[in-house]
Amino acid sequence: MPKLKTKKAAAKRFRFTATGKVRASQANHAHKMTHKSKGGNRRQSGTTILAETEADRMAKWLPYGKYN
């Protein structure tokens, strides 16, 4: 069976945690920060865990990640 290809765009944006969940950076935290509240900016910093339905799609796009 041939090797599976990885979606490189997804590989740059998502990674798996040790328990198999998918970690992604928060959305809406790239530009135009002065028009957003300071608390909102703080909440958008860091990463978040994707929902199960989106995690299933990432498991298909990242076949060699550690997804349960």
Side-chain angles (χ1 to χ4, degrees):
M1 186 160 171
K3 293 182 194 175
L4 298 172
K5 290 204 169 184
T6 298
K7 290 280 186 184
K8 289 308 204 173
K12 294 169 189 173
R13 290 167 174 82
F14 305 100
R15 55 196 180 118
F16 292 102
T17 62
T19 57
K21 296 176 182 174
V22 182
R23 183 183 304 263
S25 59
Q26 289 275 5
N28 304 316
H29 194 69
H31 55 96
K32 294 188 178 178
M33 304 303 221
T34 57
H35 299 286
K36 299 171 188 171
S37 69
K38 302 292 184 213
N41 281 337
R42 275 197 307 276
R43 282 191 296 275
Q44 297 293 45
S45 68
T47 58
T48 185
I49 302 296
L50 289 186
E52 287 295 321
T53 54
E54 295 172 341
D56 291 340
R57 188 180 323 141
M58 289 307 120
K60 202 184 303 183
W61 289 350
L62 303 169
Y64 296 107
K66 291 181 172 59
Y67 182 70
N68 296 334

